[in-house]
Structures are given as structure tokens and as C-alpha cells.
Amino acid sequence: MKITSIVGTRPNFVKIAPLLRSFKTENDIESTLIHTGQHYDKFMSDVFFEDLRIDKPHVHFNVGSGSHLKVIAKIMVTAEEYFMSSPTDLIVVVGDVNSTLAIALAGNKMGIPIAHVEAGLRSRNWDMPEESNRILTDRLSELLLTPTKEDSRNLIDEGIEEEKIHLVGNIMIDSLFDSLERIGDGSEVLDRYSINGAKYGLITLHRPECVDNKENLKAILDAFNAIQQNVKLIWPLHPRTRKTINEFGLNDYLKEFSNLHVVEPVGYHHFLSLMKNSFMVLTDSGGIQEETTAMEIPCLTLRNETERPITVTEGTNQVVGMDTARIIESVNELLSGKRVKGGIPELWDGKTSGRITKILRSWWQSKM
């Protein structure tokens, strides 16, 4: 069976890595990896590929950045040309980025079956580009591989045939558990920032609703300003966020935060070392909500909703929005000892990639 897997952004690397390693153990699977180049920084891509033990992609589309429509169109046209000359039995897409949707559309139009890893997530916020990406990708896919029972229910409620839906668990946790075994205590990273033994919070922020709106970004920065007066904060600053901070004239304001340390973006293992040893995480990321739940670290999500509600109902996540006072209040509760006690959801056990591989092989055998 020929399987072609697609990545386009760094979160995709984390999700595809354990699956590629699983494919390697199967003699009857011929695996190809395509990088669309939707987000591409040579240094950061190389670091992530090394950290996650991913071989270099067999094919690179080099589409670069651009508007949503331009990126999707470019990937679709390039994918058509590629699959015309290099047929495949199955395309595997992960997550909900533009590359995911573009390849799903191209594969569907060319009659190539699609397997969607991380299917069924729903924020019900149509202002999020990812929401339309994930819903359309699910509609176009023949195999829908879900992280939780709630994600499976979402698909059933939308009228998708149950035989297409497979509860497999969370693929990101495979990468997380594998990497945690290899990074040790992370002391080398902590020493770099002089935070070994210190209580600190970790920040990530990059979503358009948080950083492209000046009012929202200023409200979040105001919260960070208050928080850093009580606890040290470490912030690997996303290029998009750095750009809007400068455009909105907020750079000088940020420099006043003496106990908030802005650092350059870091690799996966480097970031896990920071997260593993943190007191709490403030984020707008989806994947980090899951990773903090798996590591039982308090997470405050700076959004008004989440497509990963299980991290709230069963995990350590709280959705606190972008209101300055509410963010500060939530942090103060954590500082006072009111920690959210969560557990690890069902099938978030580091064995999702094996379950997916078994399902894909069974699907293929049914076609023979």
C-alpha cells in the first residue's frame, strides 16, 4: 500500500512523526512524506525534524506564504501535478491548516481516498480559518480518525457515516511521551534562561483573534504586565506576534515588563523542557491545551472557546478569554494554590499511531 502523508506547518510535524515511525515497521507500507512549505523556516524545520526523528521530506512543494486562497490554490495545483505523475493509494492529512484542506480537496477531485488524523474537532467559531478547514476536510475524507469520543459524536451529529469514523486517541501525545523520555529534566534549557529552580509561567500567542486585533492584543499585554509583577514569565515570541506588536506601536510598552523575558522561537524539545518545568502556561494554541493536560500542568487558554473541550472537562485547561481582569484573576487563583485537578483522557496513551496503522491496513485489505 502506498501512503502519502502531508505536512505544512510545525504542529503538523508533531502529529505526523509517530505515524511515520509506525509505517516504517510495516513491510507492506510504502510511505512518502510531502512538505507543502506553507510555513517554512529552514532552521526551525530542521530542528523540529531532528527533535521528532523525521526523515527529510521526499517532496517539497515550496508554496511559501500568502493569503489563504493563494496558498490553498497553489498547493492544489502543485498536488495535482505531483499525483498525476506519482499515484498513491491513500493520502494522510493531519490537523486543520490550509495545507490539510488543500490536499483533501485535490485528492478528492482526483479520486484519491483521504484519511484525516485529528478529525471531528469543532470550536463552532466560524471566524476561525481552522474551523472551515477541519469541517470541509472531514466531509472529503473516507477515514476519520478522532482523538476523543466527543469528536466522534460531532461527526455523527453532522450526518457522517459511522463506519468511516474511528476513535484512535490523540496522536500528539505519542510525540509528547516519546520526547519527554528523551529530554531528561530540561535543566540545560532552564540554565540558559537562568530559571532553574524558579517558578515561572510560559506564554505562547499567535492566533489572529489575539494578535491581529490591537484592542485584544493590548488587553492581553496589560494582563501580562500585571502577572509578571508576581511571577516570572517566559515568552518565545512568534514572528506574527512580533510583527503586530511593532505595527501597533506596543514594542516600547512590552520592554517595560522587567520580569517577562521575550525569547526567540525554539525547537520542540527546547519548548517541552520549558513547558515541563513551568508553573502554568498561558496560550492560544490548540495543541498546547492537550500537552499540558497530558502533563497535568495548569493551562489558561486566551480564547473565547476551544475545539478541545475535553481538556477543560477532564484536563487542566481553563478557557479565560482575552479580558484583562479575568486573565489576572485566573492566574492569581493558581498562585494562591487553587490548581485545576485533571486527568489524562482515554486513549491518550502514546499508542495512537499503532492503532491508526492497524486501521489503515484493515481498510486497504478490505479494498483488495
Side-chain angles (χ1 to χ4, degrees):
M1 173 171 55
K2 294 182 180 179
I3 299 179
T4 303
S5 304
I6 310 297
V7 295
T9 67
R10 286 190 287 275
N12 290 167
F13 305 162
V14 180
K15 295 165 189 173
I16 207 67
L19 199 51
L20 295 177
R21 288 197 296 273
S22 181
F23 290 165
K24 272 188 174 183
T25 67
E26 305 298 324
N27 294 328
D28 57 346
I29 292 179
E30 181 183 332
S31 174
T32 298
L33 178 63
I34 294 176
H35 190 334
T36 67
Q38 178 185 332
H39 289 168
Y40 187 72
D41 174 282
K42 186 178 188 305
F43 170 72
M44 287 305 295
S45 286
D46 288 350
V47 168
F48 267 71
F49 271 61
E50 181 180 344
D51 285 351
L52 293 163
R53 295 183 291 152
I54 304 175
D55 294 333
K56 289 185 178 179
H58 300 88
V59 181
H60 204 302
F61 284 177
N62 296 305
V63 298
S65 58
S67 70
H68 292 292
L69 288 176
K70 285 182 180 178
V71 168
I72 290 170
K74 214 170 178 181
I75 293 171
M76 289 180 67
V77 170
T78 309
E80 181 185 34
E81 294 171 354
Y82 173 79
F83 288 119
M84 288 286 287
S85 60
S86 303
T88 190
D89 298 312
L90 180 69
I91 296 172
V92 174
V93 295
V94 295
D96 49 27
V97 298
N98 287 335
S99 295
T100 306
L101 174 60
I103 294 293
L105 283 165
N108 178 267
K109 293 298 183 184
M110 297 182 74
I112 306 170
I114 307 294
H116 184 200
V117 178
E118 206 181 61
L121 276 65
R122 299 291 183 266
S123 70
R124 291 163 179 92
N125 177 0
W126 282 91
D127 290 332
M128 291 180 64
E130 296 89 349
E131 185 74 352
S132 56
N133 287 351
R134 60 176 74 104
I135 288 173
L136 292 169
T137 300
D138 285 343
R139 284 291 177 181
L140 297 167
S141 297
E142 182 161 338
L143 292 163
L144 296 134
L145 306 160
T146 64
T148 73
K149 289 179 180 177
E150 184 167 1
D151 301 321
S152 296
R153 283 196 297 271
N154 287 337
L155 296 172
I156 292 168
D157 290 345
E158 291 172 9
I160 291 176
E161 301 95 317
E162 289 192 41
E163 59 267 23
K164 292 184 176 182
I165 303 166
H166 304 270
L167 174 62
V168 295
N170 194 325
I171 192 75
M172 286 194 72
I173 307 307
D174 288 27
S175 280
L176 175 67
F177 287 172
D178 176 73
S179 294
L180 286 175
E181 288 182 2
R182 294 189 290 124
I183 64 174
D185 62 7
S187 57
E188 182 180 338
V189 172
L190 303 185
D191 288 340
R192 185 180 304 184
Y193 301 114
S194 302
I195 53 175
N196 210 337
K199 177 182 283 190
Y200 66 91
L202 181 62
I203 297 170
T204 76
L205 198 70
H206 74 284
R207 288 190 180 273
E209 63 264 36
C210 290
V211 305
D212 289 359
N213 179 296
K214 184 175 181 179
E215 182 179 348
N216 289 344
L217 181 56
K218 178 61 164 55
I220 293 169
L221 290 181
D222 286 345
F224 292 169
N225 188 17
I227 294 163
Q228 60 93 33
Q229 295 174 41
N230 296 311
V231 63
K232 187 187 294 288
L233 297 175
I234 306 294
W235 188 0
L237 192 58
H238 192 283
R240 179 194 194 110
T241 311
R242 184 184 296 277
K243 179 173 178 286
T244 56
I245 285 173
N246 287 328
E247 287 176 351
F248 294 151
L250 295 169
N251 199 43
D252 288 342
Y253 177 49
L254 180 59
K255 288 178 180 178
E256 296 174 9
F257 304 179
S258 60
N259 206 27
L260 186 156
H261 302 277
V262 173
V263 300
E264 292 299 315
V266 296
Y268 184 62
H269 281 181
H270 192 134
F271 184 79
L272 283 187
S273 294
L274 288 172
M275 184 159 57
K276 175 183 178 179
N277 291 281
S278 67
F279 165 70
M280 64 179 178
V281 178
L282 299 123
T283 187
D284 60 0
S285 163
I288 290 173
Q289 297 171 49
E290 298 172 328
E291 290 166 335
T292 49
T293 280
M295 290 191 285
E296 300 182 89
I297 296 169
C299 178
L300 300 180
T301 296
L302 309 177
R303 291 166 47 192
N304 295 321
E305 71 287 309
T306 178
E307 64 282 356
R308 294 163 168 89
I310 200 168
T311 63
V312 177
T313 58
E314 295 187 24
T316 56
N317 183 29
Q318 299 177 69
V319 178
V320 299
M322 291 166 273
D323 176 73
T324 303
R326 187 178 177 195
I327 298 169
I328 295 169
E329 179 184 4
S330 299
V331 171
N332 286 340
E333 287 181 355
L334 292 176
L335 290 170
S336 70
K338 295 180 181 178
R339 293 171 64 93
V340 175
K341 293 181 180 180
I344 299 176
E346 179 186 6
L347 297 181
W348 292 26
D349 55 6
K351 300 176 182 179
T352 293
S353 57
R355 286 188 285 269
I356 292 174
T357 302
K358 185 177 180 180
I359 288 166
L360 299 187
R361 187 196 289 109
S362 176
W363 168 84
W364 176 245
Q365 289 172 347
S366 73
K367 299 291 183 182
M368 300 298 288

